[in-house]
Structures are given as C-alpha cells and as structure tokens.
Amino acid sequence: MNGGADAGQSAPPLIELVGVTKTYGQGAVALQALRGVHLVVHEGEFVAIMGPSGSGKSTAMNILGCLDVPTTGSYRFRGVAVETLSRNQRALLRRNYLGFVFQGYNLLGRTSALENVELPLLYRGESPAARHAAAHEALAAVGLTGWEHHSPAELSGGQQQRAAIARAIVTHPAVLLADEPTGNLDTQRGREIMDLIVALNRDRGITVLMVTHEPDMAAYAHRIVHFVDGRVESDIRQPEPA
Amino acid sequence: MLWNTLLLALREIRRNLTRSFLTVLGILIGVAAVITMVTLGNGATAAVSAQISSLGSNLLMVRPGQRLGASRDTAGAAPFKLADVVAIESQVGQLSSVAPVVSRTVTVVHLANNWSTSVVGSSNAYFSAGSWKFAAGRMFTEAEQQTGKAVCVLGETTRSKLFGSENPVGSAIRIKRFSCQVIGLLVAKGQSSMGRDQDDVIVMPLRTVQRRLSGNQDVGMLLVSVRDGASTSQAKQQIEALMRERRRIAANEEDDFNVLDTREIAEMLSSTTRVLTLLLGAVAAVSLLVGGVGIMNIMLVSVTERTREIGIRLAVGALEREVLLQFLIEAVVLSSIGGLLGVLVATVGSIMLAQLMQVPYVFSLSINLLAFLFSAAIGVVFGYFPARRAARLDPIEALRHE
Ligand SMILES: Nc1ncnc2c1ncn2[C@@H]1O[C@H](COP(=O)(O)OP(=O)(O)O)[C@@H](O)[C@H]1O
Ligand SMILES: [Mg+2]
C-alpha cells in the first residue's frame, strides 16, 4: 500500500468525492442530505464514518456504492466520474469492484446461504463449479462452514451478517462498503464481525468504508470521518493499533 | 447467461409453488379448452364429410310438395307414378339410374323376434343410388320386380334385431299377413348426418310394396343418380322442367314438387359444423386470453412482492436486461408449462369426449402446436410489462421497500 502511495502522485486515488451534494425531493419539500462533501480514500485504507442520525452517512455510502448519484459535484472512482455513467455501467462497477454490506443484511429469503453468496457470481456468468467453490470459500472465510444450506430464517442475526459479508467479498472486490454492519448485533457478535472486517482489510488489502455510531467499533479503523449535517466535520487519522 | 437466467426463473417458480400452480392452471384451462373444442369440432366435421361420401355421389331426391322442412305441404301435391320414373330415364340425359321409392313403417316378425322398421319399395337402382353394398345374397331379378314377388333385402340393424347372429339369407320373415323371403343382406352404413340409423331398413321390389302394403300405384319419392363428372345442377334443371310439363304447371305457378341435391345438404351441414367449430374455438381462445391476464396479474403482484429481492439483485450488479429477462423467462416458463399440460389434458379429454359424443377423434398437430405457441407468446406479451417494471426499479428505493 505504501508502494501505491508513491505511484499515487500521478495515478488517481481510489475514491474521490468533490463537492458532492444530494437533494431529495423538489421545491418546498426538498431536503438537502449532503451539502458539499469532499473525501479522498486511497487503496487499502480502513475508514470509519461516524455522525449523528440523519447527518447523511447512508446517503454518502449509497453514492460511494454507485447505487445512487450525486445531485451536484463529482464522485470519481479510480478517476472515472461515476455520475456520467449509465445505469448499466454503474451496475457493472458494483458487480466488479464493490461489495456492499447493508445494516438490514438484505439476504434473499427462502434461499440457502450458499445460493445467496453465489448470487453476484451468477451475474458475472461464472460456471456452477467456480461459483460453488468461491461461495464455499467465502462462507469459510466468515466462519459459516456447515451452514451453507440454511436459509436466512434459520440463521442468527450475526450469522446473517456474516453471510451478507461473504456475499460482499465473494467477488474479491476492491472496496467493501458496510453501512452499520454491527448495528443490529450485541457487543460480542459485533466484535466478531469487526475482527472479520479488520482481517479482510489487513490480509486481503480490501479497502473498507464502514458507517458506525459506536466508538468501540470505529476504533478498529485507520481513519475516522465525522459527518454533521451533510458535511464532513472532521477527518482524523488514528495511530496504528498495536 | 440465458441458461443461468432460466435456472434463476425455475428457482423462483419453485420458491412459490402455490402461486406458480395457480398461474399455470389458468393457461392450462385455456389451452385445453381451445384444443378440445377444435378437436371435437373437427371430429364432427369429419363425421359429416364421411356422411357425404356414404350418401352416394351426385344424388338428387325428387319429392312431391313444395319444399324441405316442417312446413312442407304434400297434401295437395299429386304423388309420382312409375311413369314419371320412365319419363325421367328416357328424357333426361347424363343419369346413371333413377329409383322410385315408396316407404312404409311396419312391424316384421321372425320366430319370437319382432321389430318395427321402414320397408322401402324400389328397384335395383336403389342400391346403386345409395352406394349400398351386399354382404350376402343378391339383388332382385327382373321377374321378381315385374310380378311383385315377396322377396326382401335386409339392412344390418334389421337383421340383428330379427336374426341375432344368424345368416338371414334363405329364411322367411312375416310382414303383416304375408311371408317374405330374405334374398340379400346389406353392408352396414351406420348413422346418417341427421342421426338416423340407415341400416334399420328392409328393401323390397316396388310392386310388392304397392300391392301388399300401400295398396295403390303411388311412388313417394324418386332417387336420381347423376353420372360421374356430369353436372347435377343441369340434371336438376332438366328434371324440374320435365316434371312441370308432366304435372301441367302453368308458367306463373310454383313447383308442387322439389328436387334436393343431397350433396348440397351435406355441404351445408359440414359448413355449419365448421362455423360452429370456429365459434367454439374463439370462445375458448378468450379463456386463454383471460389466462394471460392472470399471468400478468400474478407477475405484477410478484414484482411488488419481490421489490426488495429485485433491489438486492440490482445492488449486487444485475443489469437491467438481466432482471427483465429473468421475469420474462419466468412468465414464459409458467405459461409454457401451462400450455404443455393443456395439450396433455386436451388429448385425454378430447379422446374421452369424442367417444361420449360419438364423433371420431381427429388429432390435429397444427391446433396443438398453435395453442402451445400461443400460450408461450402470452407469457412474453403479458410478462413483458411486469418484467420491465421490475427492471426499471431504483435499487435504493427497492431496498427500502418493505
Ligand atoms: N430516499 C430519501 N428520500 C427523502 N429523504 C431521504 C431519503 N433518504 C434519506 N433521506 C433523508 O436524508 C437525510 C440523511 O439521511 P441518511 O443519509 O440516511 O442519514 P444517516 O444514514 O446519517 O442517518 C435524512 O434527513 C433522511 O430523512
Ligand atoms: Mg443510515
């Protein structure tokens, strides 16, 4: 990653938000969720995003995850202005570079953990054998070996979140975006998930952007970005944890 | 890609078995109804067509009275005589035979069996005009016809009622107060297009019936057979002109007899059944369309119900056209399964119904293929709108949906 920083003088950063605003609705009911966000994230970083409820964290994450586009301003992913891309091109960005973990898990019901994890690979057109192997590997990485054939209803909250993480990393994405991944879990389960994310960042070099409102969880990150009222209020680099 | 999408669609169908089954049922009923109606209609048409050929070729029926139907009035009209037969034979060209017909319903007896049937008095021309074939025995001799001998030829139904399984030729039957010798047996023809049993008959020489049963010289009807290749309408015109002359009908008077072309009747009947088939098929097609609307309804419900699922698919990188294709294939697979089952149900149903209604079962590849392809097309047409709606969903909106 340090090597990347040297070359980074000329190469564009992995993620760059330039004066991004997002307005929901129009006219009198218009609501400005983001009011000019600037943010640069480099390859390999682990960034925690904090802030009060309604400060625009999820809105920013959706834009970073290419699920949504800024109203004004620019989001450059590896130098490419995402807002200029078509719906399908953004879908391809999600498919090939991004893994998204939602607070509400968002697994397909009545579908086994294995099939859930295979889903992104299905759209990448990989063979059944390759899909199976990769999904089994991802499930093993999150510690769900033996639960492959259980449906979400048969899994605990922590296990569902692990399955969701497995689905996000099964494609070996460049970036893992996690919106309050531990929000629905007790402290113990939360720590396990955090250990998992830290390991993915450290061992696989996956860039992580994670929203959380728990300082305990944010402490795992290299950097803590504070959102207040649709703006970045502070951006603090943490000393490397021992 | 296509294979994967098909797999996805099948997985979805399996996940919602009850809903899928109900959708399939709608299409199944539509397809089965269309095929069954058309198949039975074709069977009825085929039965009528078979009737046309069994009626004998180029046959004209000349009767006293004004026209065919319930209001036919024979009371005032003079009956024909044997002389009319002779006149037509000698003065109208291009005929192969002219048969006089007198018929009476009588009870006939053989040993302990008796049976009420119609006795036809005619000549040997009757057998050729009606395309009758002999199963056993012979026609009348000239002498038998001249002297009005008590001999008769039996139809198959009459034979079985009187003789059971025996051969009747050579035996005698009793009709009223005279005894009649059986000299021949006709090959069975079956039901006529009007549902009358044509084999329920006894044929005797004309003179025999006139002397012993009707007691006068009248001839009820003439069966005129036109030579192959000759025009029946021309023969009809000539017969009409001749009969007007013989019956002294003035130019301003209507005919007091009528000439019927049996082929015309048969063709009219068969075109009626064809129209009926078309009508029934159309009604059934409407039910197929209703099945299609059912598919659209269920797919729309399923899009709403599965909004979050679609959001998840889009979020992990599904393209718009992949979601569209998935829903479209789901609709087509459902409707095709319905179509396939419909074809099976229709086959079994039409075979059974054909037996029940006593019409032949005529398998038509084209209607089966057409109904099946139509059901698949319905899947595309009615699946497209819901599928497009699914594909155009905004991923974030979809994910927030609950
Ligand atoms: N789809 C939407 N339509 C309208 N308003 C929205 C929508 N999404 C978010 N908002 C509003 O935008 C603001 C920021 O929301 P969000 O980004 O979810 O905040 P956070 O995740 O930090 O709690 C909130 O006031 C929220 O009500
Ligand atoms: Mg939020």
Side-chain angles (χ1 to χ4, degrees):
Chain A
M1 267 106 268
N2 289 334
D6 290 338
Q9 294 300 324
S10 52
L14 177 64
I15 280 170
E16 192 176 15
L17 294 181
V18 186
V20 165
T21 71
K22 181 74 192 180
T23 309
Y24 289 113
Q26 285 179 343
V29 293
L31 189 142
Q32 231 187 343
L34 296 179
R35 301 164 185 268
V37 174
H38 297 269
L39 184 69
V40 175
V41 178
H42 292 283
E43 209 104 28
E45 281 192 291
F46 184 165
V47 181
I49 297 173
M50 300 190 72
S53 178
S55 58
K57 306 181 297 290
S58 292
T59 303
M61 285 298 268
N62 288 340
I63 290 173
L64 289 167
C66 295
L67 289 164
D68 208 350
V69 283
T71 306
T72 64
S74 182
Y75 167 29
R76 301 211 183 97
F77 184 84
R78 285 190 172 150
V80 176
V82 173
E83 65 277 3
T84 64
L85 301 179
S86 71
R87 226 175 104 101
N88 277 335
Q89 285 171 316
R90 275 185 281 126
L92 289 174
L93 267 188
R94 292 198 291 275
R95 174 188 290 189
N96 293 318
Y97 298 103
L98 306 173
F100 213 109
V101 178
F102 306 91
Q103 181 176 3
Y105 318 136
N106 275 328
L107 297 169
L108 293 183
R110 283 174 290 168
T111 303
S112 71
L114 189 70
E115 284 177 334
N116 262 293
V117 174
E118 279 184 15
L119 193 64
L121 301 175
L122 207 67
Y123 289 112
R124 283 161 68 122
E126 292 186 19
S127 73
R131 285 204 309 263
H132 275 44
H136 275 290
E137 191 195 312
L139 281 167
V142 299
L144 277 183
T145 302
W147 296 89
E148 290 89 346
H149 299 289
H150 291 70
S151 72
E154 297 162 345
L155 298 175
S156 71
Q159 287 173 321
Q160 288 184 57
Q161 192 60 295
R162 284 160 186 271
I165 292 173
R167 184 180 63 193
I169 62 167
V170 74
T171 57
H172 296 286
V175 183
L176 180 68
L177 297 141
D179 195 350
E180 304 200 34
T182 61
N184 291 343
L185 304 175
D186 62 54
T187 316
Q188 181 52 35
R189 303 284 155 243
R191 285 197 184 288
E192 286 173 22
I193 294 294
M194 286 316 302
D195 288 336
L196 183 59
I197 292 175
V198 167
L200 287 170
N201 172 253
R202 187 186 54 217
D203 304 337
R204 297 200 189 179
I206 297 177
T207 307
V208 176
L209 281 96
M210 178 187 76
V211 173
T212 181
H213 49 244
E214 294 164 89
D216 281 1
M217 303 298 165
Y220 285 85
H222 307 151
R223 235 174 109 187
I224 299 179
V225 175
H226 259 274
F227 270 62
V228 174
D229 203 14
R231 285 193 187 86
V232 176
E233 195 211 41
S234 68
D235 186 346
I236 301 160
R237 206 161 288 271
Q238 303 218 98
E240 287 283 322
Chain B
M1 169 63 216
L2 203 68
W3 178 242
N4 275 337
T5 316
L6 187 70
L7 233 81
L8 270 176
L10 285 175
R11 206 175 274 172
E12 273 318 307
I13 289 168
R14 206 187 52 207
R15 272 206 323 178
N16 299 291
L17 262 186
T18 316
R19 197 175 60 191
S20 305
F21 171 74
L22 290 174
T23 317
V24 163
L25 199 64
I27 293 293
L28 187 160
I29 291 171
V31 169
V34 168
I35 297 178
T36 308
M37 290 300 154
V38 173
T39 303
L40 289 180
N42 282 345
T45 311
V48 171
S49 305
Q51 209 50 57
I52 297 176
S53 41
S54 87
L55 265 174
S57 52
N58 311 338
L59 199 62
L60 298 175
M61 287 159 79
V62 189
R63 304 158 176 256
Q66 285 197 328
R67 58 180 61 243
L68 181 74
S71 64
R72 184 164 138 255
D73 174 28
T74 42
F80 299 123
K81 301 286 178 191
L82 197 55
D84 292 312
V85 176
V86 177
I88 292 175
E89 269 176 344
S90 60
Q91 291 176 49
V92 179
Q94 305 279 45
L95 303 182
S96 56
S97 67
V98 182
V101 175
V102 174
S103 67
R104 286 290 181 277
T105 301
V106 293
T107 302
V108 292
V109 183
H110 175 251
L111 300 178
N113 304 325
N114 57 54
W115 179 243
S116 175
T117 185
S118 96
V119 171
V120 168
S122 189
S123 64
N124 281 332
Y126 181 82
F127 302 117
S128 59
S131 305
W132 288 103
K133 291 189 186 64
F134 276 73
R138 57 170 176 86
M139 297 202 268
F140 310 125
T141 63
E142 198 55 41
E144 281 164 351
Q145 298 193 63
Q146 289 299 326
T147 57
K149 237 185 132 202
V151 290
C152 61
V153 174
L154 301 189
E156 175 56 27
T157 303
T158 315
R159 183 203 65 77
S160 73
K161 295 294 178 188
L162 294 177
F163 290 88
S165 55
E166 279 172 48
N167 177 8
V169 177
S171 306
I173 55 174
R174 278 204 81 77
I175 300 172
K176 292 205 167 161
R177 275 183 300 280
F178 69 96
S179 169
C180 185
Q181 198 186 2
V182 179
I183 58 166
L185 175 67
L186 298 171
V187 173
K189 277 219 253 185
Q191 282 197 346
S192 77
S193 47
M194 278 81 155
R196 188 175 55 85
D197 181 0
Q198 303 178 93
D199 301 316
D200 190 2
V201 74
I202 296 177
V203 188
M204 290 182 197
L206 175 70
R207 199 148 283 168
T208 315
V209 173
Q210 286 178 333
R211 277 197 196 146
R212 296 179 186 253
L213 292 175
S214 66
N216 57 40
Q217 300 289 303
D218 298 350
V219 170
M221 173 178 81
L222 309 178
L223 279 182
V224 180
S225 183
V226 182
R227 206 170 278 161
D228 273 340
S231 150
T232 46
S233 58
Q234 205 174 334
K236 185 175 167 182
Q237 277 171 16
Q238 288 181 23
I239 291 169
E240 278 167 351
L242 176 65
M243 294 315 282
R244 283 182 73 89
E245 189 190 315
R246 288 180 59 82
R247 294 164 86 88
R248 304 204 161 74
I249 300 172
N252 59 351
E253 279 180 297
E254 297 237 348
D255 292 353
D256 66 347
F257 63 91
N258 65 83
V259 184
L260 264 172
D261 189 337
T262 51
R263 176 176 285 191
E264 265 170 35
I265 309 174
E267 270 166 12
M268 201 180 69
L269 263 172
S270 84
S271 82
T272 309
T273 53
R274 261 198 296 274
V275 168
L276 220 66
T277 305
L278 224 65
L279 211 75
L280 288 175
V283 170
V286 169
S287 79
L288 187 50
L289 222 61
V290 171
V293 175
I295 282 213
M296 176 146 82
N297 183 27
I298 291 196
M299 294 308 291
L300 277 175
V301 167
S302 130
V303 168
T304 316
E305 210 178 82
R306 287 156 62 189
T307 300
R308 228 166 61 86
E309 173 206 319
I310 296 162
I312 293 170
R313 294 186 186 281
L314 291 169
V316 301
L319 298 181
E320 223 172 280
R321 67 158 187 276
E322 288 166 336
V323 173
L324 182 102
L325 208 64
Q326 184 194 332
F327 273 76
L328 211 55
I329 286 182
E330 247 182 85
V332 172
V333 166
L334 281 178
S335 61
S336 302
I337 291 175
L340 216 60
L341 291 178
V343 167
L344 288 181
V345 168
T347 306
V348 175
S350 351
I351 289 177
M352 279 174 17
L353 279 172
Q355 218 154 46
L356 207 73
M357 292 165 59
Q358 302 203 317
V359 298
Y361 169 74
V362 185
F363 176 80
S364 154
L365 184 69
S366 58
I367 185 64
N368 278 277
L369 218 61
L370 201 75
F372 174 73
L373 290 180
F374 192 60
S375 72
I378 271 180
V380 175
V381 171
F382 290 96
Y384 182 76
F385 176 64
R388 202 190 57 174
R389 179 184 268 196
R392 297 226 175 136
L393 283 174
D394 178 61
I396 296 179
E397 292 287 315
L399 283 171
R400 287 160 65 101
H401 187 274
E402 196 61 51

